[in-house]
Amino acid sequence: MVDPNGEPDGQAPLLVEDEGPVDPAVEASPVRKRPKPGERRIQILQTLAAMLEQPGAERITTASLAARLDVSEAALYRHFASKAQMFEGLIEFIEQSMFTLLNQVQERESDPRAQVARSLTLLLQFAEKNPGMTRVMVGDALVYEHERLIVRMNQFFDRIESQLRTSLRAAADARGSPTPTVDAAAQASALLAFVLGRLQRYARSGFKRSPTEHLDAALHLLVP
C-alpha cells in the first residue's frame, strides 16, 4: 500500500572482545531494529490492508492484527486511538491517491469524454492493484465498524459522481443537448453504478474477476 522510505533505525552492533572462539549462532543473531517515528503507523496500515486481501477474510480484530505484527494490542493503541481510526487511515490513502490522479486527468485532458473514460479506468485500476482497499471501498470491510466510516466512503463516491457530472455536462453542451444537466446527472449515476458493480464483483469473487475486464469495450458503450 505505502512504501516508507529509508531503513529503520537500529542499535549499533555489539562489539565482541577477542576472548576466544565466538559461537556462530550468537554472532549471527539479528539485532532488533526500532522503527522510525511514523513508520510503525504505516506498517500497521499496510498489515491491515494485507489482511483484507485474504479472500473470505473474517472480521479483523485488533488482537489478530497485533498478532500478525508480533506486537501487543497496547502497542497498536499508541499509534491509533481505535480500530476505526485505522480504517480511516486506509480511507485517507484511497482519497488522497484517487483525487490526486483524478485532478491530474482534469488538468491534462481537454476532451470531457476522455476525462470520464480515463477517470473510470484509473479508479478500477487502483482497485485491481489494491484488493484490500477494494473491500473498504465497497463497504464489506466496514460492516461491523463505526458507521462514520461507511458515511465517509459514501462521500468519496459522491465526489466521484460530482466530477463525472461536471465532465458529462460539458460533453452534453458540446453536442447541443437541450437538457445537458439532466443528461449528465443520469449518465453519471449510471457510470457510478457500473463502477460499483465491478468493484463488488471483484471483491466477492475472491479477487478473481478483474474489475478492468473488457473495460475499453464497456467504456465505448457507456461513454460514446
Side-chain angles (χ1 to χ4, degrees):
M1 181 191 71
V2 183
D3 185 15
N5 295 321
E7 294 292 331
D9 286 331
Q11 301 174 351
L14 299 176
L15 297 178
V16 180
E17 295 182 4
D18 187 12
E19 295 180 348
V22 178
D23 185 340
V26 173
E27 188 177 34
S29 296
V31 177
R32 190 181 183 89
K33 296 184 176 181
R34 180 181 303 171
K36 292 179 180 179
E39 192 173 69
R40 175 66 78 185
R41 182 182 174 91
I42 293 173
Q43 186 182 27
I44 291 169
L45 294 179
Q46 286 178 319
T47 303
L48 176 57
M51 293 175 73
L52 289 170
E53 290 181 10
Q54 302 305 312
E58 298 179 358
R59 183 187 181 192
I60 295 172
T61 63
T62 52
S64 62
L65 179 58
R68 178 70 70 91
L69 286 160
D70 194 23
V71 300
S72 67
E73 288 185 71
L76 297 180
Y77 291 120
R78 283 197 291 270
H79 302 278
F80 295 94
S82 64
K83 187 168 59 152
Q85 198 176 84
M86 298 177 199
F87 277 104
E88 283 182 319
L90 296 184
I91 294 174
E92 285 173 7
F93 175 77
I94 294 169
E95 292 172 338
Q96 292 172 5
S97 299
M98 284 311 311
F99 287 119
T100 296
L101 292 173
L102 297 182
N103 289 338
Q104 290 174 356
V105 169
Q106 297 293 318
E107 293 170 0
R108 296 173 183 176
E109 292 284 359
S110 58
D111 180 356
R113 292 169 59 258
Q115 290 175 356
V116 171
R118 185 59 181 153
S119 295
L120 297 179
T121 298
L122 288 172
L123 184 56
L124 292 172
Q125 287 176 340
F126 173 85
E128 187 168 34
K129 293 177 181 178
N130 297 277
M133 299 299 184
T134 302
R135 292 193 59 210
V136 175
M137 292 166 76
V138 300
D140 287 359
L142 307 177
V143 171
Y144 300 107
E145 306 303 333
H146 198 286
E147 184 180 354
R148 74 172 183 271
L149 300 173
I150 296 177
V151 170
R152 184 167 175 178
M153 205 66 255
N154 288 340
Q155 290 172 341
F156 167 82
F157 284 110
D158 287 344
R159 288 180 63 186
I160 296 289
E161 187 173 3
S162 178
Q163 287 196 1
L164 293 176
R165 278 199 305 269
T166 299
S167 296
L168 290 167
R169 191 186 190 290
D173 274 331
R175 67 173 181 266
S177 169
T179 56
T181 300
V182 174
D183 291 354
Q187 192 175 5
S189 177
L191 288 172
L192 185 63
F194 165 75
V195 167
L196 289 171
R198 286 288 181 109
L199 298 180
Q200 291 278 7
R201 186 181 67 174
Y202 182 48
R204 293 176 184 178
S205 68
F207 309 120
K208 294 178 182 177
R209 293 295 300 273
S210 169
T212 59
E213 180 180 80
H214 308 306
L215 183 56
D216 288 342
L219 291 178
H220 182 72
L221 295 171
L222 295 168
V223 193

